Amino acid sequence: MGSAQKTEIGDSGEIEGWLMSAGQTDVTMNLRTSIRPRGLLKLGAPIRIINVTVENPEGFERAVRDRLMS
């Protein structure tokens, strides 16, 4: 299945970013500050919440935490 990228107002009421495969995501990241995702033609709306599909959610979470703590 292909992956998709989109931004929309999520259940949080904030604009959320989505990087998904087969319409599903495994991990939600809440950022401290907003970022502007780069699309093919322009910058997207500022987002603080990113929903992504990863192969190993627990390993991904551990790797991100390790990286942030180093």
Side-chain angles (χ1 to χ4, degrees):
M1 300 273 169
S3 60
Q5 178 181 6
K6 67 177 183 173
T7 57
E8 66 180 22
I9 297 178
D11 294 338
S12 67
E14 291 194 46
I15 297 175
E16 298 185 19
W18 299 80
L19 299 170
M20 60 188 156
S21 178
Q24 306 240 341
T25 60
D26 304 306
V27 176
T28 298
M29 296 180 283
N30 295 296
L31 307 176
R32 289 186 183 159
T33 59
S34 296
I35 62 166
R36 292 184 64 121
R38 186 175 303 275
L40 291 175
L41 301 175
K42 61 182 181 174
L43 289 175
I47 59 173
R48 284 184 354 115
I49 299 172
I50 304 172
N51 302 284
V52 297
T53 299
V54 296
E55 191 171 309
N56 178 348
E58 293 82 14
F60 178 82
E61 180 182 1
R62 198 169 33 256
V64 169
R65 283 189 186 171
D66 289 349
R67 177 74 179 189
L68 292 173
M69 296 300 189
S70 61

